[in-house]
Amino acid sequence: MKEIKLPVHLALIMDGNGRWATRRLRPRAFGHRAGVQNMFRICGHAFHLGVQIVTVFALSAENLTRPQEELDELYGLFRTFFDKKKDKLLELGARINVIGDLSALPADVQVSMRALMEETAQRTASLLNICVNYGARQDVLQAVNRAVALGRFVDDASFHALLLTAGVPDPDLIIRTGNEMRLSNFLLYQAAYAELYFSPKMWPEFSRRDLEKALVNYASRSRRFGGLRGKEQA
Ligand code: IPE
Ligand code: IPE
Ligand code: MG
């Protein structure tokens, strides 16, 4: 793995928790718990391999339309892993940045998320962005509205600076599990030239080996950004 070209920024759409659980005749919440465990496994492995930035889609803005019971389960998991068991997140060694409209979350969850962001703010080796109540269109619109309020025209760089991912380079590779081939309102502006990789595996069963396969596949791709390949360009 060491010698292949890795993405600097890897983004993960962790989909399929509910189906994984339902197939095992277990409640959806069981899948979400297994999904969190796998997030630690896969993010830890990505950092171990040398990926510097990982962004995970944990909860979309549209997911807030799910039954309150499921949302309460998810908030309970946030409560556990940002507070009581925060060591698991701290052990990843990364700066933790929670991205999204946190105001819709229970107040105590917001407090523990903010505390963890502060606690890890000085870490520079790696970054873990956790998208919670995040929607890419909502983010683009708040950025446009801020530009309008400031009376400014924007270019690509100044627009990036108004997005929730300000200062973070665009994702090089987006992996989606759960056998769905769509972005579901994730990083739409930033994904302009991201490589996309879709796995039929449900998120809780996406293994370290599956991650390595995706990274090997990424390394084999020719990223042209609209130009020609290196040799043809010369
Ligand atoms: C992804 O798994 C996690 C969240 C959206 C919170 P899902 O809950 O969407 O699982 P499926 O797609 O229904 O299997
Ligand atoms: C995308 O999964 C959001 C997350 C993984 C957090 P969804 O399950 O919400 O996406 P759709 O509804 O299948 O497009
Ligand atoms: Mg889903």
Side-chain angles (χ1 to χ4, degrees):
M1 284 304 297
K2 285 249 146 50
E3 59 282 1
I4 69 165
K5 185 170 167 39
L6 288 172
V8 172
H9 181 179
L10 167 69
L12 300 167
I13 303 177
M14 309 183 292
D15 192 25
N17 293 345
R19 279 164 288 161
W20 179 84
T22 304
R23 284 171 195 174
R24 282 158 182 75
L25 307 177
R26 302 297 297 266
R28 292 178 58 83
F30 179 72
H32 292 313
R33 283 197 290 275
V36 174
Q37 297 302 335
N38 205 38
M39 190 210 82
F40 286 113
R41 193 178 301 130
I42 297 303
C43 291
H45 196 50
F47 289 133
H48 168 76
L49 292 172
V51 175
Q52 290 164 40
I53 304 168
V54 178
T55 299
V56 294
F57 204 4
L59 189 72
S60 76
E62 291 74 25
N63 288 152
L64 266 66
T65 61
R66 291 190 182 188
Q68 193 59 43
E69 193 190 337
E70 179 161 349
L71 293 175
D72 286 341
E73 289 284 354
L74 290 163
Y75 298 154
L77 285 170
F78 294 146
R79 202 166 269 127
T80 303
F81 288 98
F82 280 92
D83 187 17
K84 280 194 269 331
K85 293 192 182 169
K86 66 175 183 177
D87 285 356
K88 291 264 294 175
L89 273 172
L90 289 172
E91 277 164 18
L92 288 172
R95 176 155 79 88
I96 307 284
N97 193 22
V98 187
I99 289 180
D101 177 11
L102 303 190
S103 69
L105 305 179
D108 64 315
V109 173
Q110 293 180 43
V111 169
S112 50
M113 285 175 167
R114 295 217 165 83
L116 206 67
M117 285 194 264
E118 249 173 60
E119 196 172 339
T120 60
Q122 302 309 319
R123 296 178 171 187
T124 52
S126 52
L127 169 66
L128 174 62
N129 296 307
I130 305 178
C131 298
V132 177
N133 190 17
Y134 169 86
R137 283 189 169 185
Q138 292 84 335
D139 191 23
V140 165
L141 290 174
Q142 69 75 25
V144 168
N145 285 327
R146 263 165 73 200
V148 169
L150 294 166
R152 279 198 208 139
F153 288 104
V154 284
D155 58 14
D156 183 50
S158 55
F159 191 66
H160 262 96
L162 292 170
L163 294 171
L164 289 168
T165 51
V168 180
D170 286 344
D172 300 293
L173 171 63
I174 299 178
I175 299 176
R176 181 177 187 142
T177 61
N179 207 25
E180 309 289 0
M181 285 68 170
R182 53 178 174 257
L183 290 175
S184 299
N185 204 14
F186 187 50
L187 300 177
L188 298 181
Y189 188 81
Q190 299 89 329
Y193 271 101
E195 296 297 327
L196 306 180
Y197 184 94
F198 298 101
S199 168
K201 294 252 182 113
M202 299 298 120
W203 174 252
E205 64 195 4
F206 185 80
S207 66
R208 293 186 185 93
R209 182 78 197 98
D210 292 322
L211 172 67
E212 290 175 6
K213 270 199 270 180
L215 293 174
V216 168
N217 179 285
Y218 167 82
S220 74
R221 297 188 190 188
S222 165
R223 300 187 77 191
R224 294 187 288 278
F225 301 97
L228 300 177
R229 282 170 208 266
K231 266 184 279 164
E232 294 166 72
Q233 193 100 47

